[in-house]
Amino acid sequence: MSREDKKRDKKNRLLDAARRSFAEKGFRKTTVDEIVDRAQVAKGTFYLYFKNKESVFKELVELLERRYKSLREKMRQEKDLEDKLYFFAKGYFSLLEDNRDLARIGLFNFDHVDESLKKFFIRLQTFQVDSIKEEIIAAGFILEEPRKAALAFVGMVNYFAAHYVLNPDRPFSPEKDARFVVDLFFKGIPAK
Amino acid sequence: MSREDKKRDKKNRLLDAARRSFAEKGFRKTTVDEIVDRAQVAKGTFYLYFKNKESVFKELVELLERRYKSLREKMRQEKDLEDKLYFFAKGYFSLLEDNRDLARIGLFNFDHVDESLKKFFIRLQTFQVDSIKEEIIAAGFILEEPRKAALAFVGMVNYFAAHYVLNPDRPFSPEKDARFVVDLFFKGIPAK
Amino acid sequence: MSREDKKRDKKNRLLDAARRSFAEKGFRKTTVDEIVDRAQVAKGTFYLYFKNKESVFKELVELLERRYKSLREKMRQEKDLEDKLYFFAKGYFSLLEDNRDLARIGLFNFDHVDESLKKFFIRLQTFQVDSIKEEIIAAGFILEEPRKAALAFVGMVNYFAAHYVLNPDRPFSPEKDARFVVDLFFKGIPAK
Amino acid sequence: MSREDKKRDKKNRLLDAARRSFAEKGFRKTTVDEIVDRAQVAKGTFYLYFKNKESVFKELVELLERRYKSLREKMRQEKDLEDKLYFFAKGYFSLLEDNRDLARIGLFNFDHVDESLKKFFIRLQTFQVDSIKEEIIAAGFILEEPRKAALAFVGMVNYFAAHYVLNPDRPFSPEKDARFVVDLFFKGIPAK
DNA sequence: AATGAATGAGCCTTCATTCAT
DNA sequence: TATGAATGAAGGCTCATTCAT
C-alpha cells in the first residue's frame, strides 16, 4: 500500500467507524473514544483528519447528500413522471438497503447537533421535496399546490424507509414497495 | 395558593421548561441546569419531582401518547373511513399546532435515549399505523397488504407534520391539508 | 400516652432508627432521609431533637459510654482480679449480644466523623484500657508496664467481640469465652 | 524521565495521595478532588488510572494484603511456634511503623465501603487468624478450640497496633512489644 | 504523520439543612 | 410541636480536545 493509500485508509476507517457508531447510538451518545477504538487508530489521529466530532458527522451527511443528488440526476433521465417517481422510490429504498447506517443517521439524528448542521439537514429534506415538485410540474400536472403533492409522496417514501430501518427483520422489497407507493400516488387505494 | 397547589405548580413549571428545552435542543443537549433555570426552581427541586433527567422526558412522551390514544378513540366514532382518516389527519395537525414542542420531541428525539425509551417510541409509531390499518380493513377494503396502505397514509401525515414543525413560519391549515392527504389517499393526484 | 411521653417517643424512635442504620451502613453512608423513614417521622422533626446528623451519632456513643462505665462500676465490686476480669469480659460480651448494633457502631465507625468525635472515641477506648490497668495494679501485680498487660487483655476481649459482630451466625458463649480469655491472661495457653 | 516512567510516576503519586487521605479521613470523607490536589494531577487523570474512587481504595488494600501474605510466608520459615509468633508480631508491628497510613486504612475503614470490599476485609482478618491457628495446631498444642487461641493472639497484636496508630506519639518498640505479647500468650502475666 | 497521556470544563445526582405553613 | 417542600453546595464521573514525544 502506498503512503497516500495508507493515509486514505486511516481516514476511511475513521469514517466507517463513526458511521456505524452514529447509526447505533446517535450523535451525542457516540464518543470519540468509541470511534477510534473501532477504527483501531490512536485518539490523536482523529483530530488529524477531522476538526472535531461534529465535522466527521458533517462529512457523513455530505456523503448522503451526494447520493441523494446522484439519485436525482438518474431520476431525471427517465421519461415520464410515473417512471421517474418509481425510479426515485426504488432507488431510495435500495440506497437504504445498501447504506442502512447512513440512512439511519439521516433519518434520526436530526436534532442534537449544532445550528448549522440542523439547517443543513433541513436543506437536505427540502431538496428531496423540491426535486419531486419540479418533476410534477414539468410533467404538466396542474395542481393548486404541487409542493403538497411532493411532500405527500416523499412522506410515504420516507416513512416506508423509516419503518424498514427500524424493523430490519421485516421483509422488504424495493421494487414492490416502490410500485405500491407510485400506484397509490397516482390512483389512490383500490376501491372495495 | 395552597401548599398542594404550589407543589403542582412547581412540577408543571418543570414539565413546561423541560418540554421547551427538549424541543429546542433534544434530550442529550438539554441540561438539568437549563431546565431548572427556566422553571425558576432550585436544582434539588427537580429531583424532588423526577427520578432523573430521563424520567421527565418519559413523562412528556407519555403525555403525547395519551393524546394520540384519545385521538384514536375520537376517530373511531366517525362513521365511514374517509371521515375517520380526515378526522385523524386534522386532529393530528391540530394537536401539533397546539403542542408544537411536544410534537417536536416525538418526531425528532428518536434516538439518543436509553433502550427502553426507544422501544416505547417505536411502539408509539406502530400504534398509529396499526390503528389506521384496522380501520381500513374494518371498512371493507380488500387489499393485499393493508399495512402498507396504512404506512403510506401515516407517512404522508407525519411528513406534513414534520415539515410544519421544521418550518413554523410557513402557512399551515389543518383542514385543507387533511383534505388534501385524504383525497390523495383515496383518489390519487388529479389527472392532468 | 401523655404529651411528654409522646415527645420522648419520637426522640426514641429516631435514636432507634439511627442506631440501626449506623450499624448497617456506617455513619457517612446513612442518610437523614433513611433515619426519618425508619422512625416514621417527618424530616423536619429530626432537627427538632438533634442539632445535626453528627449529634445523634454522638448521643448513641454516649449511651455506649454509659454502659461501659456502669460495667466498670460493677466490675469494681468483685473481689479479686480474676473475678473482675472475668466479670468485665463476660459483661462486655453480653452487652454486645444485647446491643449488637451499638457495639458495631463503637467498633467500626471509628473514623469518618469529625475531629471532636474521633477524640471522644479514643477516650472511650483509653478508658477501657485504663480501667483494667488500674485493677491490675490495685491487685498487687508488679509489672514493668502494666498498661501493656491491660492493652493485651482488652485487645483479646475486643477482638472476640469484633469477630462475634462480624460473624453473627457463629455460636458465641459469653461465659465460656470470658473464661477462656481470663485463663489465657493468667496462665497462658495450656502446654502440649 | 521516559514516557513510561512518567506514567508510573503519576499513578504512584495518586496512590500515595489516596493512601494519605484515606488514612486521615476515611474512605467516604475523602474526595477525589482532594486526592488529585495532593497528587498535583488533573482530575481526569485520576480516572485514567482508576475506574472509580472505590478502585484506588481496593488497590491499596490489596497492597496491604500482599504484605500480610508475605509476612506469613516468612513466619513459616521459623522453626518453633514461639519464634513464629514472635516473628509475626514483630513483623506486623514493623510493617505498621513503615506503613502507618496503610495500616490505618486496614484497621479503621472497615465499614463504609461497598459489600464486596467489606467481604474482602473480613477475609483479610480471617486470613490472619487462620494462619496463626494452623501454626498452633502444627506445633502440637492440643486445645479444645485452637481458633480461640489464635483469635486471642491476633487480638492482642492488632490492639497494640491500633493503639500505636491512634497514638503516634507514644514510644513504640516492635521487639519489646512482640516479646511481651508472646510471653503473655505462652505463660500468662507474671505472678505477683 | 501518529500516538496516547493529560487536561479540566461540564454534567448528573445526592443530601444535610432550612423554613414557611 | 410537627411537617415536608425547597434549597444549593458539593461530589463523582465523562469526554472532547490538546500537546509533548
Side-chain angles (χ1 to χ4, degrees):
Chain A
M1 208 192 286
S2 79
R3 235 222 236 165
E4 197 56 26
D5 281 353
K6 256 193 192 156
K7 189 177 149 184
R8 165 137 328 137
D9 186 50
K10 284 234 162 97
K11 178 160 191 186
N12 278 337
R13 262 153 57 199
L14 281 166
L15 274 170
D16 222 61
R19 180 172 48 73
R20 278 149 63 197
S21 288
F22 287 147
E24 272 171 29
K25 357 173 70 177
F27 178 74
R28 306 262 318 166
K29 245 182 176 169
T30 296
T31 65
V32 174
D33 265 306
E34 197 190 313
I35 295 172
V36 298
D37 273 6
R38 252 197 165 122
Q40 298 271 55
V41 150
K43 205 167 182 182
T45 307
F46 179 92
Y47 289 89
L48 235 47
Y49 292 106
F50 304 100
K51 204 172 96 267
N52 51 30
K53 195 178 134 189
E54 206 134 76
S55 87
V56 66
F57 188 74
K58 197 163 193 172
E59 214 154 292
L60 287 170
V61 178
E62 278 162 355
L63 205 62
L64 197 63
E65 191 186 26
R66 276 201 294 285
R67 298 200 179 162
Y68 281 169
K69 292 209 160 143
S70 99
L71 190 62
R72 180 176 66 169
E73 291 322 307
K74 285 190 197 127
M75 174 179 77
R76 279 185 167 155
Q77 286 157 24
E78 298 294 317
K79 59 179 186 314
D80 64 14
L81 182 62
E82 195 171 328
D83 288 348
K84 280 174 203 267
L85 294 189
Y86 175 74
F87 188 90
F88 172 79
K90 198 188 66 162
Y92 194 63
F93 292 152
S94 305
L95 186 157
L96 211 100
E97 209 166 19
D98 298 342
N99 297 284
R100 214 171 275 204
D101 293 344
L102 219 46
R104 199 183 172 85
I105 294 173
L107 287 165
F108 303 124
N109 272 295
F110 220 85
D111 269 344
H112 318 293
V113 277
D114 85 351
E115 209 52 32
S116 79
L117 256 182
K118 198 143 78 185
K119 276 181 189 147
F120 184 81
F121 257 123
I122 296 184
R123 230 173 38 235
L124 198 55
Q125 303 251 350
T126 308
F127 168 77
Q128 283 190 333
V129 174
D130 286 346
S131 303
I132 301 294
K133 187 189 74 180
E134 280 162 30
E135 296 296 343
I136 290 173
I137 293 171
F141 280 82
I142 311 295
L143 296 172
E144 208 182 324
E145 290 175 286
R147 189 166 204 285
K148 284 193 182 162
L151 206 52
F153 183 72
V154 174
M156 289 192 281
V157 170
N158 266 305
Y159 220 65
F160 267 70
H163 269 255
Y164 181 41
V165 169
L166 285 178
N167 306 290
D169 33 339
R170 264 179 216 263
F172 195 73
S173 147
E175 285 84 6
K176 273 183 76 176
D177 288 338
R179 189 77 271 153
F180 184 89
V181 294
V182 169
D183 282 352
L184 183 56
F185 184 70
F186 282 103
K187 298 181 292 202
I189 58 167
K192 312 190 224 195
Chain B
M1 210 192 288
S2 86
R3 199 178 187 174
E4 201 57 31
D5 282 352
K6 254 193 186 162
K7 201 176 143 179
R8 206 184 328 268
D9 180 54
K10 282 248 160 79
K11 177 157 192 188
N12 281 336
R13 261 154 60 200
L14 280 166
L15 273 172
D16 222 61
R19 182 170 47 70
R20 278 150 62 198
S21 289
F22 287 146
E24 272 171 29
K25 359 172 70 177
F27 178 75
R28 306 271 304 180
K29 239 183 175 171
T30 296
T31 67
V32 174
D33 264 306
E34 196 190 312
I35 295 172
V36 298
D37 274 6
R38 254 199 162 118
Q40 295 273 57
V41 149
K43 206 164 183 182
T45 308
F46 179 92
Y47 290 91
L48 218 56
Y49 293 104
F50 305 100
K51 209 174 89 267
N52 51 32
K53 196 177 126 188
E54 204 132 80
S55 90
V56 219
F57 189 74
K58 199 164 191 172
E59 212 155 294
L60 287 169
V61 177
E62 277 162 356
L63 206 63
L64 196 63
E65 191 186 25
R66 276 202 294 285
R67 297 196 179 163
Y68 281 170
K69 293 212 158 141
S70 99
L71 190 61
R72 179 175 68 167
E73 291 323 305
K74 286 189 197 128
M75 173 179 79
R76 279 185 167 154
Q77 286 156 24
E78 299 294 317
K79 60 178 187 313
D80 64 14
L81 182 63
E82 197 171 326
D83 287 347
K84 281 174 202 267
L85 295 189
Y86 174 74
F87 187 92
F88 171 81
K90 197 187 66 160
Y92 194 63
F93 291 152
S94 304
L95 186 156
L96 213 97
E97 207 166 19
D98 297 343
N99 299 283
R100 214 172 276 204
D101 292 343
L102 218 46
R104 197 184 172 84
I105 293 173
L107 288 165
F108 302 124
N109 272 295
F110 220 87
D111 269 345
H112 317 294
V113 276
D114 87 348
E115 209 51 32
S116 79
L117 260 181
K118 197 143 80 185
K119 273 178 191 150
F120 183 81
F121 260 123
I122 296 184
R123 230 174 37 236
L124 201 56
Q125 303 252 349
T126 307
F127 168 77
Q128 284 190 334
V129 174
D130 286 346
S131 303
I132 301 295
K133 187 188 73 181
E134 280 162 29
E135 296 297 343
I136 291 173
I137 293 172
F141 281 81
I142 311 296
L143 296 172
E144 210 182 325
E145 290 175 287
R147 189 165 206 286
K148 281 192 181 163
L151 206 54
F153 184 72
V154 175
M156 288 192 282
V157 171
N158 266 304
Y159 220 65
F160 266 71
H163 269 256
Y164 180 43
V165 169
L166 286 177
N167 307 287
D169 34 338
R170 264 178 216 262
F172 195 72
S173 149
E175 286 85 5
K176 274 183 74 175
D177 288 338
R179 189 77 272 152
F180 184 88
V181 293
V182 170
D183 281 352
L184 182 55
F185 184 70
F186 282 104
K187 299 182 290 202
I189 57 166
K192 313 189 223 194
Chain C
M1 209 191 288
S2 79
R3 234 221 236 164
E4 197 56 27
D5 280 354
K6 256 194 192 154
K7 189 177 148 185
R8 166 138 326 137
D9 185 49
K10 283 231 163 99
K11 178 160 190 186
N12 278 337
R13 262 153 56 201
L14 281 166
L15 273 171
D16 221 60
R19 180 172 47 73
R20 278 149 63 197
S21 289
F22 287 147
E24 273 172 28
K25 358 172 70 177
F27 178 76
R28 305 264 316 168
K29 245 182 174 167
T30 296
T31 66
V32 174
D33 264 306
E34 197 190 313
I35 295 172
V36 298
D37 273 7
R38 252 197 165 122
Q40 297 271 57
V41 150
K43 206 167 180 181
T45 308
F46 179 92
Y47 289 89
L48 235 47
Y49 293 105
F50 304 100
K51 205 174 94 264
N52 50 32
K53 195 178 133 189
E54 205 132 77
S55 89
V56 67
F57 188 75
K58 196 164 192 171
E59 214 155 292
L60 287 170
V61 177
E62 278 162 356
L63 206 63
L64 196 63
E65 191 185 26
R66 274 201 295 286
R67 298 200 177 160
Y68 281 169
K69 291 207 162 143
S70 99
L71 190 61
R72 180 176 65 168
E73 291 322 305
K74 285 188 198 130
M75 173 179 77
R76 280 186 167 152
Q77 286 156 26
E78 299 294 319
K79 60 177 185 314
D80 64 13
L81 182 63
E82 194 170 329
D83 288 347
K84 282 174 202 266
L85 294 189
Y86 174 74
F87 187 90
F88 171 82
K90 199 187 66 160
Y92 193 64
F93 292 152
S94 305
L95 186 157
L96 211 99
E97 208 166 20
D98 297 341
N99 298 284
R100 214 172 277 204
D101 293 343
L102 220 46
R104 199 183 172 84
I105 294 173
L107 286 166
F108 303 124
N109 273 295
F110 220 86
D111 269 343
H112 319 294
V113 277
D114 85 349
E115 209 51 32
S116 79
L117 258 182
K118 199 143 76 184
K119 275 180 190 146
F120 184 81
F121 257 123
I122 296 183
R123 230 173 37 236
L124 198 57
Q125 302 253 349
T126 307
F127 169 77
Q128 284 190 333
V129 174
D130 285 346
S131 303
I132 301 294
K133 186 189 73 182
E134 280 162 28
E135 296 297 342
I136 291 172
I137 293 172
F141 281 81
I142 311 294
L143 296 172
E144 207 181 325
E145 290 173 286
R147 189 165 204 285
K148 283 193 181 161
L151 206 53
F153 184 71
V154 175
M156 288 192 281
V157 170
N158 266 306
Y159 220 67
F160 267 70
H163 269 255
Y164 181 40
V165 170
L166 286 177
N167 307 288
D169 35 337
R170 264 178 216 263
F172 194 72
S173 148
E175 286 84 6
K176 274 184 74 177
D177 288 337
R179 189 77 272 152
F180 184 89
V181 294
V182 170
D183 281 353
L184 183 54
F185 184 70
F186 282 103
K187 299 183 289 202
I189 59 166
K192 311 189 222 193
Chain D
M1 212 193 287
S2 86
R3 200 178 187 173
E4 202 56 30
D5 283 353
K6 254 192 185 163
K7 202 176 144 179
R8 208 184 327 269
D9 180 54
K10 283 248 159 80
K11 178 157 193 189
N12 280 337
R13 260 153 60 198
L14 281 166
L15 273 171
D16 222 61
R19 182 170 47 72
R20 278 148 64 197
S21 289
F22 286 145
E24 271 171 30
K25 359 174 68 177
F27 179 75
R28 305 271 303 179
K29 239 183 177 171
T30 296
T31 67
V32 174
D33 265 307
E34 196 190 312
I35 296 173
V36 298
D37 274 6
R38 252 197 165 121
Q40 294 274 56
V41 149
K43 204 167 184 178
T45 307
F46 178 92
Y47 290 91
L48 217 57
Y49 294 104
F50 305 101
K51 207 174 93 267
N52 50 33
K53 196 177 124 185
E54 203 133 80
S55 90
V56 218
F57 189 74
K58 199 164 192 172
E59 211 154 294
L60 287 170
V61 177
E62 277 162 356
L63 205 63
L64 196 62
E65 192 187 25
R66 275 202 294 286
R67 296 196 180 165
Y68 280 170
K69 292 212 159 141
S70 98
L71 189 60
R72 179 175 67 168
E73 291 323 305
K74 284 187 199 131
M75 173 179 79
R76 278 185 168 153
Q77 286 155 26
E78 298 295 316
K79 58 179 188 312
D80 64 15
L81 183 62
E82 196 171 327
D83 289 346
K84 281 175 204 267
L85 295 188
Y86 174 73
F87 188 90
F88 171 80
K90 197 189 64 161
Y92 194 62
F93 293 151
S94 305
L95 185 158
L96 214 98
E97 206 166 20
D98 297 343
N99 299 283
R100 213 171 277 205
D101 293 342
L102 219 47
R104 199 183 172 84
I105 294 173
L107 287 166
F108 302 123
N109 272 297
F110 220 85
D111 269 344
H112 317 294
V113 276
D114 88 347
E115 208 52 30
S116 79
L117 260 181
K118 197 144 79 185
K119 273 178 191 150
F120 184 81
F121 260 123
I122 296 184
R123 231 177 33 238
L124 200 56
Q125 303 251 350
T126 307
F127 168 77
Q128 284 190 335
V129 174
D130 285 347
S131 303
I132 300 295
K133 186 189 75 180
E134 281 162 29
E135 295 298 341
I136 291 173
I137 293 171
F141 280 81
I142 312 295
L143 297 172
E144 209 181 325
E145 292 175 284
R147 188 165 206 286
K148 282 191 182 164
L151 207 54
F153 183 72
V154 175
M156 290 192 280
V157 171
N158 266 305
Y159 220 66
F160 266 70
H163 269 255
Y164 181 41
V165 169
L166 286 177
N167 306 288
D169 34 338
R170 265 178 216 263
F172 195 73
S173 146
E175 285 83 6
K176 274 183 74 177
D177 287 337
R179 188 77 270 151
F180 184 89
V181 294
V182 169
D183 281 353
L184 182 55
F185 184 70
F186 282 102
K187 299 183 289 203
I189 57 166
K192 311 189 223 194

